[in-house]
Amino acid sequence: MKPLSIITLDQISDALDSIDLLGEMRSAFIAYSSGRSVIPPVGELIIDEQPPGEVHIKYGYVRGGAHYVVKIASGFPRNQELGLPPGNGMMILFDVSNGSISSILLDEGQLTDVRTAAAGALASSVLGVPGARVGIIGTGVQARLQAVHHASALDRDDLMVWGRNLGKCSLLASDLEAHGLKVEIAESAEELAERCRTIVTCTASHTPLLTRPMIQPGTHVTAVGSDTPDKQELDPRILGSADLVVVDSLSQGLVRGEVARSIDAGTITPGRVVELGQILDGSNPGRSDPNHCTVADLTGVAVQDLFIAEAVARSLV
Amino acid sequence: MKPLSIITLDQISDALDSIDLLGEMRSAFIAYSSGRSVIPPVGELIIDEQPPGEVHIKYGYVRGGAHYVVKIASGFPRNQELGLPPGNGMMILFDVSNGSISSILLDEGQLTDVRTAAAGALASSVLGVPGARVGIIGTGVQARLQAVHHASALDRDDLMVWGRNLGKCSLLASDLEAHGLKVEIAESAEELAERCRTIVTCTASHTPLLTRPMIQPGTHVTAVGSDTPDKQELDPRILGSADLVVVDSLSQGLVRGEVARSIDAGTITPGRVVELGQILDGSNPGRSDPNHCTVADLTGVAVQDLFIAEAVARSLV
């Protein structure tokens, strides 16, 4: 057995600079949709104490690979009142041939944030209309990361942002401008939807922020905020009327996120939903008309954690 | 946030010397059966590659406590052919108020082994007839630990052992004798059952090793080997005719272990099964007659991992 390596957050941050994140996510989703991966259902621990929190455990492996991953990621929204980041956690790579620990990545939840943003940017770059302006709904850590990864992936540095909290929205805009992006704050979700053909939703909302009438022809929406059965960012009629509905994982999409809510609401059926990996590997053509409306609903899959953790560990060897 | 501590196997081994393991397991089962704990279903990753393995993820917290635990424990049976221990894994304690990591216990699966043995000895000491001789069925790591913990908890140093592999059985006997115990090797499971009124089964068998006719009046059986839906050590008729059937966790017992198999076989109904914590807290009287037959079926609960991990971390402060 090789000795285990403990990888700190500083090492992880350095490693991320040299990793092709969109390439890793592409490989991850293709492996997932090819059926080569073994990904059990997400483990969920709801802490309904004061302060409340939730913990997700995602785990699995890809046949023929070297590791299985266990990823633990938490969200404690009230941490922010204490000056602590809301997210935390770690990823662990184990040798799939004998169960020994290969690497412990003390990422404090940041690799989950980064791989979620990279997956969102990948989905938008594959499904959106080329050249479209990107609008971000949300003002948190994920909104910032989605903005940065979308700007890079779509090679367009002007963005629009909107959030329910105007103060946080201004902070996000300043932050992104300091990062070299041009940012306009929308007055409303409606304005953002009117002026952006690629929209990313990344909030913890429990009620829809975008309704069907707001969506213009030719719009693509990447929704990443809803990762539990009770969160919801999109009006189910948006998915109902979309020309293409894409998920990262069909099995997860049936119980979590926008697709699950839309199936519950009766606006779509599971048979209409396509996996992102099927578009990435060419077995589904994806967007076929610039005027079509498309939705990518990403709840986050352990295979993403496996690929990003392996990439970080590999880059430090 | 306090800095996280990484606890090595050497530190864990040292710490275990000063911990009242049966006391910790008693507190754990009482907390569990009182309804104060939040323990989601066990996560399971089956690695059906070559070599095969299985990984169990157990996690949860007790209301009013300081931590939630995530425990990852693997079993790769063919490791032994390579000179590696079959078990591995780790436990992680997180601050339940904000999700930060408190301690990473690099126990390589050993705390799971130890807490399982301590729970077995606790069950036998509470449910068995006082003074009865203990017989161990099995020859692996868990057999050795069950023998040692039973001898200590029941204050009786003569044991009988039996296993399907006679070579391993002799090795176990020598090992236990070196540990100061007096060990007799039974010719068969039948002989062991005839001569021991407390029997511990700790194998990975998929077919019953003890049948109903082998069980003498006044026998208590603690079964710890079956922790998945497909393993089985006891003839379902043993549970069917037992005067008392006890589990660590009713919800787990309905899907895993001997109780699940016996419910499937129709020999018992869930309503007949009692939790160990209910006997430990006095709400169920336990064994009421020296001639009764009793069975404790332990599949292992995250609350045991929480209590042993907290005890180790506390002892190192």
Side-chain angles (χ1 to χ4, degrees):
Chain A
M1 284 195 292
K2 294 183 197 157
L4 77 93
S5 71
I6 293 175
I7 304 177
T8 65
L9 185 54
D10 283 346
Q11 289 176 298
I12 291 167
S13 301
D14 287 349
L16 284 175
D17 291 338
S18 62
I19 293 172
D20 171 14
L21 289 168
L22 267 68
E24 293 294 340
M25 292 305 104
R26 173 183 288 273
S27 302
F29 290 125
I30 289 174
Y32 181 73
S33 295
S34 75
R36 286 187 291 126
S37 65
V38 178
I39 309 287
V42 177
E44 188 168 69
L45 181 65
I46 302 297
I47 294 159
D48 53 359
E49 304 285 287
Q50 295 307 322
E54 60 184 47
V55 185
H56 285 150
I57 305 176
K58 297 186 178 182
Y59 52 106
Y61 70 100
V62 174
R63 291 182 198 286
H67 301 105
Y68 61 92
V69 74
V70 178
K71 188 277 292 282
I72 305 157
S74 61
F76 285 75
R78 296 215 195 134
N79 276 4
Q80 289 168 294
E81 298 163 18
L82 305 167
L84 299 173
N88 214 316
M90 62 196 294
M91 295 187 183
I92 311 145
L93 289 172
F94 297 86
D95 187 322
V96 77
S97 72
N98 64 32
S100 67
I101 304 170
S102 300
S103 304
I104 298 175
L105 293 90
L106 299 172
D107 73 314
E108 298 178 15
Q110 295 193 22
L111 286 176
T112 298
D113 290 340
V114 167
R115 61 81 160 153
T116 301
L122 176 64
S124 295
S125 69
V126 170
L127 292 163
V129 174
R133 187 188 199 189
V134 176
I136 308 279
I137 295 183
T139 59
V141 171
Q142 191 54 222
R144 177 151 42 105
L145 287 168
Q146 290 286 351
V148 171
H149 281 84
H150 272 80
S152 161
L154 304 180
D155 197 21
R156 182 165 173 170
D157 66 358
D158 62 319
L159 295 154
M160 186 163 249
V161 298
W162 178 77
R164 291 163 294 177
N165 181 319
L166 193 61
K168 285 189 182 175
C169 206
S170 300
L171 279 174
L172 172 66
S174 315
D175 187 23
L176 291 174
E177 280 168 354
H179 201 277
L181 300 176
K182 298 186 194 84
V183 183
E184 192 175 350
I185 298 177
E187 294 283 330
S188 61
E190 200 156 9
E191 189 202 352
L192 184 140
E194 198 180 309
R195 295 180 51 198
C196 300
R197 288 294 69 73
T198 290
I199 304 174
V200 185
T201 62
C202 38
T203 71
S205 184
H206 284 69
T207 52
L209 301 174
L210 286 174
T211 60
R212 171 67 195 87
M214 295 183 194
I215 303 297
Q216 305 296 318
T219 295
H220 168 72
V221 181
T222 291
V224 304
S226 174
D227 58 353
T228 63
D230 58 331
K231 292 184 197 157
Q232 183 172 25
E233 300 182 293
L234 306 183
D235 179 345
R237 290 171 299 172
I238 295 176
L239 284 81
S241 64
D243 298 285
L244 180 63
V245 177
V246 175
V247 287
D248 42 9
S249 158
L250 257 176
S251 60
Q252 278 184 208
L254 298 182
V255 290
R256 295 171 182 277
E258 307 301 336
V259 165
R261 299 300 296 255
S262 297
I263 291 171
D264 288 349
T267 60
I268 60 168
T269 55
R272 277 203 51 214
V273 182
V274 172
E275 282 187 353
L276 181 54
Q278 298 175 276
I279 294 168
L280 293 167
D281 75 9
S283 57
N284 182 291
R287 172 184 290 275
S288 56
D289 185 317
N291 287 315
H292 277 177
C293 286
T294 57
V295 174
D297 176 28
L298 308 179
T299 57
V301 190
V303 74
Q304 296 172 256
D305 301 313
L306 177 64
F307 274 68
I308 197 169
E310 285 190 328
V312 168
R314 212 163 41 229
S315 80
L316 294 171
V317 170
Chain B
M1 285 195 292
K2 293 183 196 155
L4 76 93
S5 71
I6 293 176
I7 304 177
T8 65
L9 184 55
D10 283 345
Q11 289 176 299
I12 291 167
S13 301
D14 288 348
L16 284 175
D17 291 338
S18 62
I19 292 171
D20 172 13
L21 288 168
L22 267 69
E24 293 294 340
M25 292 305 105
R26 174 182 287 272
S27 302
F29 289 126
I30 289 174
Y32 181 73
S33 295
S34 75
R36 286 187 290 125
S37 65
V38 178
I39 309 288
V42 177
E44 189 168 68
L45 180 66
I46 303 298
I47 294 159
D48 53 0
E49 304 286 286
Q50 294 308 322
E54 60 184 48
V55 186
H56 285 151
I57 305 176
K58 298 187 178 181
Y59 53 105
Y61 70 100
V62 173
R63 292 182 197 288
H67 302 106
Y68 61 92
V69 74
V70 178
K71 189 277 292 281
I72 304 157
S74 62
F76 285 75
R78 296 215 195 135
N79 277 3
Q80 288 168 294
E81 298 163 19
L82 305 167
L84 298 174
N88 215 316
M90 62 195 295
M91 295 188 183
I92 311 144
L93 289 172
F94 296 86
D95 186 323
V96 77
S97 72
N98 63 33
S100 66
I101 304 169
S102 300
S103 304
I104 298 175
L105 293 91
L106 298 172
D107 74 313
E108 299 178 15
Q110 295 194 22
L111 285 175
T112 298
D113 290 340
V114 167
R115 62 81 159 151
T116 302
L122 175 65
S124 296
S125 69
V126 169
L127 291 163
V129 175
R133 188 187 200 189
V134 175
I136 308 278
I137 295 183
T139 58
V141 171
Q142 191 54 221
R144 177 151 40 106
L145 287 168
Q146 291 286 351
V148 171
H149 282 84
H150 272 80
S152 162
L154 304 180
D155 197 23
R156 183 164 172 170
D157 65 358
D158 62 319
L159 295 153
M160 187 164 249
V161 299
W162 178 78
R164 292 162 293 177
N165 181 319
L166 192 60
K168 285 189 183 175
C169 206
S170 300
L171 279 174
L172 172 66
S174 316
D175 186 23
L176 291 174
E177 280 168 355
H179 202 276
L181 300 175
K182 299 185 195 84
V183 182
E184 193 175 350
I185 298 177
E187 294 283 330
S188 62
E190 199 156 9
E191 189 201 352
L192 184 140
E194 197 179 310
R195 296 179 52 196
C196 301
R197 288 294 70 71
T198 291
I199 304 174
V200 186
T201 61
C202 38
T203 71
S205 183
H206 284 69
T207 53
L209 301 174
L210 287 174
T211 61
R212 171 68 194 87
M214 295 182 194
I215 303 297
Q216 305 297 317
T219 296
H220 168 73
V221 181
T222 292
V224 305
S226 173
D227 58 352
T228 63
D230 58 332
K231 291 184 197 156
Q232 182 172 25
E233 300 181 294
L234 306 183
D235 179 345
R237 290 170 300 172
I238 295 176
L239 284 81
S241 64
D243 298 285
L244 180 62
V245 177
V246 176
V247 287
D248 44 7
S249 159
L250 257 176
S251 60
Q252 277 183 212
L254 298 181
V255 290
R256 294 172 182 276
E258 307 301 336
V259 165
R261 299 300 295 257
S262 297
I263 291 171
D264 288 349
T267 61
I268 60 168
T269 56
R272 278 202 51 215
V273 183
V274 172
E275 282 188 353
L276 182 54
Q278 297 175 277
I279 294 168
L280 293 168
D281 74 10
S283 58
N284 182 291
R287 171 184 291 273
S288 56
D289 185 317
N291 286 317
H292 277 177
C293 287
T294 56
V295 174
D297 176 28
L298 309 179
T299 56
V301 191
V303 73
Q304 297 171 257
D305 301 313
L306 177 64
F307 274 69
I308 198 169
E310 285 189 329
V312 169
R314 213 165 39 231
S315 81
L316 294 171
V317 169

